[in-house]
Amino acid sequence: MRILTWNVWGRFGPWEQRQKAILAVLRDLRPDVVGLQEVWQKNGENLAEWLAGELDLHWTWEPTRAPQWWRQRVGDPAVDFGNAVLSRWPVADRAVAQLPPLHEAGDDGPVDGAGDNGPPDEASDKGPPDGAGDDGRLVLYARLAAPGQDVPFFTTHLSSPPYASAVRCAQVAVLAAFVAEHRTGTAFPPVVTGDFNAVPDSDEIRLLGGYRTAPSVPGQVLLDAWQYAEPGAASATWDAANPYVAPTHDPSVRIDYVHVGPCGPGGLGAVRGVRRAGDGPVDGVWPSDHAAVVADLAGPDATSG
């Protein structure tokens, strides 16, 4: 079973050309399940719906409840943003949890041009002061009717300011509780994907894994699939080599993740491999400011691996 997570950067930059490049990457990789962040919708047109139609996949999405911050950044008062799931298998159930916003989670430090990803010409107009408008972060759950066992799949996008680790920790606590609520009734481990805007050794990521600190939900461990990567494999998903990232002068870091619970009976859901994707131009166009992460898991049937 091939899992992919990707922040597709909304309608920033040359978004129409990028949309075609995103499709080309997905068509080449042929993932079974995809978690997408910064998915846009406008005037009845939805990026996830279009990708699903082109790839013959099922789909579901959830828009942010507070689009004003995103609309101001992109300069379009009619566009919506959100998270989406594309799936080879039907979506049997879905649910959404809202995550604590910056101004409620106790970390209202100044934005000062830092914050959500994107070159300075698009990130400089950050919306309301102190990130107060950025309160629409969410986690989307989709229960996927794969043969043999349902797959409990989650995708999220945490707050982005570098100073906001405390906010992201609060968001992870809600995320982890939401996973615990919806992971039951199947032997397949939960799969949690997304743009966490946090490096691997940060407090918020450690709260999921359980090895370096007590997990947010007692007894619930979600493994970072990148632990199974080939030694020395390029890992940065926010990469200074990307021309959309280079103007920010940010360091190259890994902030996008596939997390998986401990494998089920017979190794069900075990990580077989993981790597970056979408990390170069397609016909001269870089698909997104983020690279995707692709993880291959032991699937619920012999044909899905």
Side-chain angles (χ1 to χ4, degrees), residues 150-300:
D150 287 352
V151 177
F153 187 85
F154 305 80
T155 197
T156 193
H157 187 189
L158 304 189
S159 292
S160 61
Y163 60 77
S165 178
V167 177
R168 289 187 290 272
C169 285
Q171 292 172 340
V172 164
V174 173
L175 167 64
F178 186 66
V179 171
E181 179 183 356
H182 292 283
R183 64 177 294 177
T184 59
T186 177
F188 204 93
V191 180
V192 181
T193 66
D195 174 3
F196 283 71
N197 278 307
V199 296
D201 63 348
S202 62
D203 290 346
E204 45 270 51
I205 300 302
R206 291 189 296 110
L207 285 170
L208 292 171
Y211 284 108
R212 295 178 176 87
T213 191
S216 289
V217 172
Q220 178 173 274
V221 172
L222 298 169
L223 304 172
D224 179 358
W226 200 267
Q227 295 177 82
Y228 295 86
E230 291 292 329
S235 64
T237 57
W238 182 249
D239 190 354
N242 185 317
Y244 307 135
V245 175
T248 70
H249 304 289
D250 287 345
S252 296
V253 289
R254 180 165 65 92
I255 58 174
D256 301 85
Y257 297 84
V258 175
H259 285 94
V260 186
C263 60
L268 186 64
V271 180
R272 292 177 171 174
V274 63
R275 60 187 175 90
R276 287 193 321 187
D279 52 355
V282 177
D283 294 329
V285 177
W286 285 68
S288 176
D289 58 343
H290 286 244
V293 178
V294 181
D296 292 320
L297 311 182

